[in-house]
Structures are given as C-alpha cells and as structure tokens.
Amino acid sequence: MKAVPQISLEEAVALVKDGDILLQGGFGMTGNPVHLMHALAETNTKNLTFIGNNVGEAGIGGGKLLRNGQIKKMIGSFFTSNPEAVKAAQEGKVEYELLPQGTLAEAIRAGGAGIGGFFTPTSAGTELAKGRETKVIRGVEQVFVEGIRGNVAFVRAWKADTAGNLTYRMTEQNFNRAMATAADIVIAEVEEIVPVGEIAPEHVHTPGSYVNYLVQATLTPEDLGSSASVDSSRKVSERRMNMAKRALKELKKGDVVNLGIGIPTLVADLITPEGGIVMHTENGMLGVGPVPTDGGGAMDYPVNAGKIPVTALPGASYFDSADSFAMIRGRHVDIAVMGGLEVDEKANLANWAVPGQPLLGVGGAMDLASGAKTLIITMTHTNKDGSPKIVPVCNLPLTALKAVDMIITDLAVFKFIDGQLTLTELMPGATLEEVRSKTSAKFKEALSV
C-alpha cells in the first residue's frame, strides 16, 4: 500500500502557482479546507481562478484570498453569502462565472472522470444558457456544459489513513468528493491521520489513489463562520406562517421534499418525524430533522443548504453534492417548495436575481425548478410597492421555463390546471376582489364553495 506524503500547510500552499486553477471543497464553511486557504492567503500567489460553491465568508476561507486581491476569477453557484464577493464582482474588480449548483457539481465530476462535458436541462432558456450550445434531446431543450478540472484541489476530510484514503463527516462530503478527483494535485486537509487499516474499506469515501498530499489541521468553531452555532429566535408574521401551513398540506407521508430558503424554511419547522416526510437538502442529506435545541452548531451536527445546523432523523443518509443533484435531475425529489419573485401565465419562474440589487447566486434553484416532480412557489402576492408578482410575462431573469405547478401567496392559492393559471383558494382574510386587483396575470377562477 502506498504512503501519501504528510506535509505542512506552508509546504502545501507552495504547490499553488500564480495563475493556477484552484478547486476548493466545502459548502459555505462546512467541509471547507479553511486552514489551507488561510495559509495560501499568507503567500504572494496571485491571479488565481477560484472554483467553489461560494467564496467562503467575508474574511474567512476564500474570502481572505478575495480580500487580498489574489483571485482573478471566481466560478461558483452562490456568491451572495459573501457580500465582499458580490461587491468585487459588481465593481469589476474580479471576473466571475455563475453556474447552477448541480451543474457545477456535475461539471467537476465529469472533469474528474475524463468526460469532456454533458447536456442538462438545467438553465435552459435562462441568462445562464446564453453563449452555450443547446440541443433538444427527447423533446427537452438542454444546455451543454464542459467538464471542469483544476491544477490544484484543496479538500477537507475528517479522517485519512496514511495511504490517503479519506472519510468525511456528515454533510462535509458536499463538493469535496468530486473535487478530489478533478485536479492534477489534490491536497487533503484532515482532522486526523490514522494507520492503514483503521478505516474500514466500506467507510472510505475517497480512495487514496486520488490524493497526493495530506495536511493535518484541527477544526475549531471559529473556522465555521455563520454555521458555528444556532440562533433559534425569530419572529414570523401570521401571513407568512399561513403560507407555510398551506404548503405543508401538499406534503404526504413518504414524499421526498426539498425546501428552499425564505418562507419554505418555515415549513420545516412544522414537519414532525411522525409525518413520515423525507427532507432532502442539496448539499448532501436525506432525512433532515429539526434544528438542534441544545445550542450546538456545525461541530456537532450536519448542516442544511441554508448553512444551518440540523439534526438527522432515524434512517437519514449522507452523500455528496453531485449525487444530491443527480437525485434532483433524475426526478427522485417528489416536491420542491421554493420562494419566488415572479411567476407568469405560462408557469415560468423568476426567483434568483433582481437587476441592480446585491444578489449574485443561483444556488440549486434552477436544478430544483426543472428537476422536482412538483414545484410549489410560496411568496407574498405583491412587492413592497404594491406591484404584482403573478404577472402576464416575467420581467426578471428566469429560473426555469414552464416549471411551476402551484403558487401559494398570502392572499390566494393558484394551480396550473391543463396549462391554465387557475385560482383555487383564498387565504384567510383575503377577498376575491383583492386578489383580482393585485394580480396582473389572467387567470381562471375555480374556487370551492
């Protein structure tokens, strides 16, 4: 059995050269090789192309490299979690490329597998498809994406043996497993290095053949940024909770369900283990339970896609981001409940960008909108200025075409029945006249008495 060299942080970051393509594992700060990133920030290495789901947080992880001006271009799916990354991109100080989260994960997996690229329905008809080859396959428009490889990959594992076999903790697989296959030099930052044989073969997530170097580094709560602990105190309006309660009625025992951020997050608070609903989070977990009540954070618990520590219900499972989005695109998620900015008469959805506002990230929205069997949108009926969100044609950048099945607002419930936007219910306190006056889209009325 080979022995993988164990080196220092300083020796590791010296392997990264000016102009390199650097892959960095992690989802937020969970499973993030933060010690390697911080050591690299102490060097003069520059003009890097940084590839990761997001660029850490402000001043943490990749955020340190960005603050130092070491990153020339960033490629990822959700930069919004780091305001400094958004500002740098919008001011033209750093080049950037946005990819849907599942597309990013699959592109890295393809690059690691020696596959040139692939076609995916995710992002078809949206801004992110512009300039890319498209093809209709089995009647569905699909977008071509090239595989991604890097010069160096920094990954974070919980344990390694001296042969380089890696095992990850809970939701820390995320982007790490794919990235460990997709670079010329793979450096694994690990909590513990043990002799060969101490990791059972069936517990190896990344075989040692992919790993070139090991670095031992101990994780602390300070390394986890906003996921370090849970603050469960939040006030929720009655109208928002009514939307969450109505969405809950659509979920049945045994359904695999993914909940987006915003109003959909409230649905998670209403789900009980007895209900038999299987919660999916796109960073790699099935069987998501409620937020821990003991104040524990990401050192103790798995983390969901909102970067919030959660519990694991009996029967839960962990996997990486590429497998997670294969579940989504393969239509193994029964229902996705997402927030929305606009929905139009043709069931098109816009929910990821507002021109001029500091939003720079699509995350998993495009994958879920096009891949879930049923898509439910929860949103306020109007914007703060009173303008409608249910419109004849979406004006904001599109997330997915003809994808929405149901809309739940604070005023009404709509369904697309035979392709027709149809009003089916009024929410508590709402009147038909109010719904008519605040909806600019044409709709059919089929209210039950």
Side-chain angles (χ1 to χ4, degrees):
M1 187 67 68
K2 75 167 186 175
V4 171
Q6 300 174 37
I7 60 177
S8 67
L9 287 167
E10 293 73 21
E11 290 172 319
V13 299
L15 296 169
V16 183
K17 306 302 181 186
D18 285 358
D20 271 356
I21 297 172
L22 175 67
L23 306 182
Q24 183 230 271
F27 186 91
M29 299 308 297
T30 302
N32 191 302
V34 62
H35 301 90
L36 283 167
M37 298 303 291
H38 288 181
L40 184 58
E42 297 298 318
T43 71
N44 294 319
T45 308
K46 57 186 183 299
N47 295 322
L48 297 172
T49 296
F50 173 95
I51 300 177
N53 183 56
N54 52 288
V55 191
E57 296 183 6
I60 306 177
K64 272 201 170 186
L65 299 182
L66 182 71
R67 190 175 281 181
N68 289 349
Q70 293 170 273
I71 296 177
K72 177 182 70 174
K73 182 176 182 178
M74 53 188 188
I75 300 173
S77 84
F78 197 76
F79 303 129
T80 305
S81 56
N82 185 344
E84 293 180 3
V86 176
K87 188 169 185 278
Q90 293 182 333
E91 292 180 351
K93 294 179 179 178
V94 62
E95 300 173 46
Y96 70 93
E97 181 180 351
L98 270 176
L99 290 172
Q101 194 174 120
T103 298
L104 176 64
E106 191 65 23
I108 295 165
R109 178 158 67 176
I115 296 171
F118 57 94
F119 282 94
T120 174
T122 300
S123 81
T126 75
E127 292 285 328
L128 299 192
K130 288 185 176 178
R132 295 186 179 275
E133 179 187 354
T134 61
K135 182 181 292 187
V136 175
I137 301 174
R138 298 186 187 131
V140 177
E141 184 179 359
Q142 305 205 25
V143 180
F144 183 75
V145 180
E146 292 185 357
I148 290 175
R149 281 192 64 87
N151 300 108
V152 180
F154 287 169
V155 301
R156 169 84 193 182
W158 196 245
K159 186 179 289 187
D161 65 20
T162 52
N165 295 311
L166 306 180
T167 184
Y168 305 97
R169 185 184 64 149
M170 298 184 290
T171 48
E172 293 177 1
Q173 294 184 44
N174 51 63
F175 279 86
N176 282 304
R177 275 181 56 190
M179 287 183 171
T181 71
D184 301 328
I185 299 173
V186 175
I187 305 170
E189 173 188 313
V190 299
E191 187 75 10
E192 181 183 7
I193 301 173
V194 299
V196 167
E198 286 201 17
I199 301 177
E202 62 269 26
H203 295 157
V204 172
H205 296 127
T206 294
S209 58
Y210 291 112
V211 179
N212 299 103
Y213 299 97
L214 297 173
V215 175
Q216 192 278 325
T218 302
L219 198 68
T220 68
E222 290 72 30
D223 299 324
L224 296 170
S226 60
S227 294
S229 62
V230 176
D231 179 9
S232 58
S233 60
R234 59 178 173 177
K235 293 182 179 179
V236 180
S237 70
E238 184 179 2
R239 284 195 161 197
R240 290 170 68 88
M241 188 54 71
N242 283 339
M243 286 185 269
K245 290 177 179 177
R246 180 59 188 83
L248 180 66
K249 292 181 180 179
E250 297 298 312
L251 313 183
K252 305 183 299 295
K253 184 175 183 178
D255 279 347
V256 175
V257 177
N258 184 290
L259 301 176
I261 59 175
I263 295 169
T265 304
L266 302 178
V267 181
D269 297 337
L270 302 174
I271 292 173
T272 62
E274 296 75 27
I277 296 165
V278 183
M279 296 290 297
H280 170 275
T281 180
E282 55 260 41
N283 58 312
M285 182 180 179
L286 275 177
V288 179
V291 169
T293 57
D294 60 5
M299 291 290 289
D300 315 292
Y301 293 99
V303 170
N304 68 12
K307 303 178 182 70
I308 297 171
V310 292
T311 54
L313 297 178
S317 58
Y318 302 116
F319 33 88
D320 76 336
S321 293
D323 281 347
S324 185
F325 282 94
M327 289 181 194
I328 294 167
R329 285 191 307 273
R331 301 186 73 78
H332 303 291
V333 172
D334 296 299
I335 298 175
V337 185
M338 300 170 62
L341 298 173
E342 285 181 338
V343 178
D344 69 20
E345 294 174 6
K346 293 186 177 180
N348 299 322
L349 170 67
N351 81 339
W352 71 276
V354 178
Q357 290 195 15
L359 299 171
L360 195 66
V362 67
M366 288 186 178
D367 303 273
L368 283 161
S370 62
K373 292 178 184 177
T374 300
L375 178 61
I376 300 172
I377 299 302
T378 58
M379 62 183 184
T380 55
H381 205 90
T382 62
N383 295 300
K384 290 181 180 179
D385 63 1
S387 59
K389 291 186 176 182
I390 305 176
V391 294
V393 178
C394 287
N395 295 306
L396 296 174
L398 290 176
T399 302
L401 300 174
K402 299 179 181 179
V404 180
D405 297 289
M406 185 177 190
I407 309 167
I408 300 172
T409 77
D410 49 337
L411 300 182
V413 178
F414 293 85
K415 294 181 180 178
F416 285 89
I417 301 175
D418 297 326
Q420 172 75 51
L421 178 64
T422 305
L423 173 65
T424 59
E425 299 174 39
L426 296 175
M427 294 291 280
T431 65
L432 180 57
E433 291 71 23
E434 185 180 14
V435 172
R436 286 171 175 166
S437 68
K438 294 181 177 180
T439 308
S440 60
K442 294 179 181 178
F443 60 89
K444 182 179 176 181
E445 296 176 14
L447 293 169
S448 57
V449 179

